Amino acid sequence: MTKRIFRATLTVALTVLLASLILIVGVLHGYFQDRVLDELSSRTSYIALGIEHEGIDYLENGFPNDCRVTWVAADGAVLWDNREDPAGMQNHADRPEVHEALLLGRGHAARYSDTLSQKTLYYALRLSDGSVLRVSDTQYSVWILVLQALQPVALVMVLAFCLALWLAGRLARQLVEPINAVDLNDPGEEIGYEELAPLVGKLRSQKRQINRQMEDLRRSREEFAAITENMSEGLIIIDRETRVLSHNAAALRLLDAQAPTEEDSVLALNREPGFRRCVEEALAGHRREELLEREDTCCRVLANPVEQDGAVTGAVLIVLDVTEKERREALRREFTANVSHELKTPLTSILGTAEILENGLVKPEDIPHFAGNIHREAQRLIGLVNDIIKLSRLDEGDAAAQWETVDLRATAEEVLRQLAPAAEKQQVTMTLEGGPTPVRGVPQIVEEIIYNLCDNAIAYNRPGGSVGVTLSSTPEGERVTVSDTGIGIPQELRERVFERFYRVDKSHSGGGTGLGLSIVKHGAAYLGARVELDSEPGKGSAFTLTFPPHSETWQDNK
């Protein structure tokens, strides 16, 4: 703006200066022309007076040659001229100034010479004898006058130009300074020009409106960030060029990616083909869903296009952690397959034995043996079904029992009593150490846990081995440890022993269902207890169940 004001002011100053110069030159030219005519008139009258008294002798006796004098007879013939020979001159009766003098007594004219760029002024006066005296002189044109005064005029123009530059610059700064002094962020009440009052008022109004909008936008962004950052699902918003417009921490965590910059493509976050297909399909206007599987995680990506005025302007990607769901689904399929297999074995044995009996292929003395097989397989089948029901209830958190104080010693004594025949059959010695140990829990579940631990210790023991149940109190809570001198569990299999239907050594299972340690794991989780395993192959294993303190268990189940 300062430059525009400076240029405008300088242009006006120079225009006025040039116009003034042209006007002055024009006025001076007209003034000089009038002065020359006056001088010619005076001189003509003076010479005419001399001719009236002395005649032609006046003209021939040293008449000055600074101007041209011509004496013309009444018929136009040239009688005398101080510049040329009268004999060779044309008749002057048709000359305007001479013709006018013959008619009116005096006359004047001006003629311009393009060759010499000068103008000649003529003044004629009629004498008493009817002749005409004409006096002429040269007047230079305007441009000749300007050229003659070029040096002083140029000096004046340069000085005037410099002065105009300085004045224009100073004026521009003075005009713009009050405008620049206005604080657009906080315009005050006092302003340099009253003409700026409407503008400043509008600025104040717009500033208040912008502040409100910025505050609303900030609040909305904070709310959006708070919502998205606390989402367990990943959220990514991209534009038409796949640039990431917004994302939350969950998306980076689930995709195992680094935070992108403003110009990064969303495809840089994950380079798996399924993720790329989701992005491409969404930007093409179609919904897409893909499953991304890695070693330890499994994510489902849902991509939806974002449309505006019928055109796709971007996409929204939702990343869901379905690791647990997929694991549960895999466990469900495995469990179903295992249950089918485990149920099929006793049922096949029962069916085969029943068919033999039905067809009369068994001798009367062998009937008790075959009936015993049916009885054992039926018991095994019922035990398997019961264990499955127990696991299902524990999985669903529905034990259908009241919490109460349970004495671990009394429970352990009852379990050892129940397993005494099995231990005697396996030639395993069982011992119990520790006094009364009360805990908060569900009696049936506590008994089931200790029973399965002791049953496994007997089943996987060696002849002449031992099983020890030890009760103790620690700052962490009450403990029950079941140890054996059996085959032990290798390090790489310790995590798998708690899986359903998994057996370390099927030859030592004794016809078990393979669900015992799964019931222990789920029952402990239901009671809030912790199960620890310490084992050495060939020397035995020790399972430690630590119950939380009474106060914690009570508060958790209150």
Side-chain angles (χ1 to χ4, degrees):
M1 183 176 180
T2 304
K3 293 181 179 180
R4 293 182 62 183
I5 294 176
F6 172 78
R7 289 195 296 266
T9 305
L10 182 61
T11 302
V12 171
L14 293 179
T15 302
V16 172
L17 180 62
L18 183 61
S20 299
L21 180 62
I22 294 173
L23 182 61
I24 291 172
V25 171
V27 171
L28 289 177
H29 182 265
Y31 172 75
F32 287 141
Q33 179 174 331
D34 293 341
R35 289 291 302 275
V36 171
L37 285 176
D38 289 342
E39 291 181 1
L40 288 177
S41 175
S42 300
R43 180 170 293 187
T44 302
S45 299
Y46 174 77
I47 296 173
L49 184 61
I51 292 175
E52 291 285 355
H53 288 84
E54 301 180 14
I56 196 171
D57 293 336
Y58 176 78
L59 299 174
E60 292 179 349
N61 291 330
F63 191 80
N65 202 29
D66 56 342
C67 61
R68 185 175 182 179
V69 179
T70 304
W71 189 13
V72 181
D75 59 357
V78 178
L79 301 176
W80 188 84
D81 189 274
N82 62 341
R83 299 284 178 84
E84 296 184 16
D85 183 9
M89 297 177 66
Q90 298 178 354
N91 189 287
H92 280 38
D94 58 346
R95 303 296 170 88
E97 67 279 4
V98 174
H99 181 71
E100 185 179 358
L102 290 173
L103 293 177
L104 304 177
R106 63 182 65 235
H108 61 85
R111 286 189 284 277
Y112 182 78
S113 174
D114 293 331
T115 303
L116 301 177
S117 297
Q118 61 186 17
K119 184 168 63 175
T120 302
L121 300 178
Y122 298 91
Y123 190 86
L125 181 65
R126 188 179 61 191
L127 303 181
S128 58
D129 59 357
S131 62
V132 175
L133 176 65
R134 188 187 71 176
V135 179
S136 63
D137 198 359
T138 300
Q139 181 187 14
Y140 293 105
S141 66
V142 174
W143 301 112
I144 297 298
L145 293 176
V146 171
L147 290 175
Q148 289 176 349
L150 180 62
Q151 185 174 356
V153 169
L155 180 60
V156 171
M157 290 290 291
V158 170
L159 293 176
F161 181 75
C162 293
L163 181 61
L165 283 175
W166 179 75
L167 291 176
R170 182 176 180 182
L171 180 61
R173 288 192 297 272
Q174 291 177 347
L175 289 175
V176 174
E177 185 176 356
I179 301 176
N180 291 335
V182 176
D183 187 0
L184 298 181
N185 294 323
D186 186 18
E189 297 295 333
E190 295 185 1
I191 54 178
Y193 302 114
E194 61 180 14
E195 290 82 359
L196 293 177
L199 174 62
V200 173
K202 184 172 292 186
L203 287 176
R204 292 196 194 100
S205 176
Q206 290 181 347
K207 183 177 183 299
R208 289 192 295 268
Q209 183 178 359
I210 291 174
N211 288 338
R212 288 195 299 269
Q213 293 175 347
M214 290 296 292
E215 181 64 23
D216 294 340
L217 179 61
R218 183 190 61 80
R219 190 181 303 109
S220 298
R221 292 189 62 178
E222 290 179 353
E223 293 174 354
F224 179 77
I227 293 173
T228 56
E229 288 303 320
N230 287 281
M231 290 172 56
S232 58
E233 299 82 5
L235 174 66
I236 304 175
I237 302 175
I238 62 175
D239 63 7
R240 191 71 181 86
E241 285 71 34
T242 74
R243 288 190 294 266
V244 179
L245 301 180
S246 180
H247 67 281
N248 64 353
L252 301 180
R253 175 176 53 81
L254 294 175
L255 295 176
D256 192 20
Q258 299 294 327
T261 62
E262 294 181 358
E263 298 298 324
D264 281 352
S265 170
V266 69
L267 299 177
L269 300 181
N270 190 284
R271 302 189 181 278
E272 296 184 34
F275 187 79
R276 176 180 290 274
R277 285 194 295 270
C278 278
V279 174
E280 292 175 349
E281 287 291 326
L283 294 180
H286 309 294
R287 187 182 183 276
R288 183 77 180 191
E289 181 176 337
E290 289 284 346
L291 186 65
L292 307 181
E293 296 185 79
R294 291 194 291 274
E295 294 182 0
D296 54 346
T297 59
C298 186
C299 299
R300 186 171 298 278
V301 180
L302 307 176
N304 291 281
V306 176
E307 298 183 358
Q308 185 175 8
D309 298 331
V312 177
T313 58
V316 176
L317 307 179
I318 303 295
V319 185
L320 305 176
D321 186 0
V322 294
T323 304
E324 188 64 25
K325 178 182 177 182
E326 292 297 320
R327 287 177 180 173
R328 287 180 177 273
E329 183 63 22
L331 289 175
R332 185 192 64 79
R333 291 193 296 267
E334 182 181 358
F335 179 72
T336 302
N338 289 332
V339 167
S340 300
H341 175 73
E342 294 294 335
L343 291 176
K344 184 178 180 181
T345 301
L347 286 175
T348 301
S349 178
I350 292 172
L351 180 61
T353 304
E355 286 180 352
I356 294 175
L357 292 174
E358 182 182 15
N359 294 327
L361 301 177
V362 180
K363 297 178 181 180
E365 61 271 18
D366 293 330
I367 291 177
H369 170 72
F370 283 95
N373 287 339
I374 294 175
H375 184 266
R376 284 192 301 273
E377 294 298 333
Q379 283 185 326
R380 180 183 175 187
L381 184 60
I382 292 173
L384 179 61
V385 172
N386 288 335
D387 286 346
I388 292 173
I389 293 173
K390 292 173 186 176
L391 277 175
S392 299
R393 288 179 176 177
L394 291 174
D395 281 341
E396 296 173 1
D398 180 19
Q402 295 294 326
W403 283 69
E404 58 185 73
T405 300
V406 181
D407 185 2
L408 293 179
R409 180 171 179 87
T411 303
E413 288 176 346
E414 176 61 22
V415 169
L416 294 181
R417 187 188 63 78
Q418 295 177 17
L419 293 174
E424 183 178 355
K425 181 179 180 181
Q426 293 289 111
Q427 301 178 9
V428 174
T429 302
M430 296 187 296
T431 60
L432 174 62
E433 296 180 4
T437 308
V439 296
R440 289 290 300 176
V442 179
Q444 296 90 332
I445 298 178
V446 174
E447 181 179 357
E448 193 71 32
I449 292 174
I450 297 177
Y451 183 92
N452 280 285
L453 289 176
C454 293
D455 186 37
N456 271 13
I458 295 171
Y460 290 92
N461 216 317
R462 57 181 174 79
S466 64
V467 174
V469 180
T470 304
L471 305 175
S472 61
S473 297
T474 66
E476 295 180 358
E478 309 300 329
R479 284 183 177 177
V480 54
T481 301
V482 179
S483 59
D484 63 66
T485 57
I487 62 175
I489 302 172
Q491 178 69 34
E492 64 274 9
L493 300 179
R494 291 181 186 177
E495 291 296 327
R496 298 204 61 190
V497 295
F498 293 100
E499 294 180 7
R500 301 171 184 182
F501 299 107
Y502 184 81
R503 300 181 180 90
V504 177
D505 187 354
K506 295 185 179 180
S507 63
H508 289 75
S509 64
T513 63
L515 296 176
L517 289 181
S518 293
I519 294 175
V520 170
K521 175 184 176 182
H522 289 76
Y526 182 85
L527 298 176
R530 185 175 73 252
V531 180
E532 296 174 298
L533 169 61
D534 185 17
S535 181
E536 186 175 351
K539 293 186 178 181
S541 303
F543 289 85
T544 300
L545 184 67
T546 303
F547 289 85
H550 287 191
S551 59
E552 294 182 12
T553 309
W554 174 253
Q555 291 296 331
D556 292 340
N557 299 279
K558 196 175 179 182

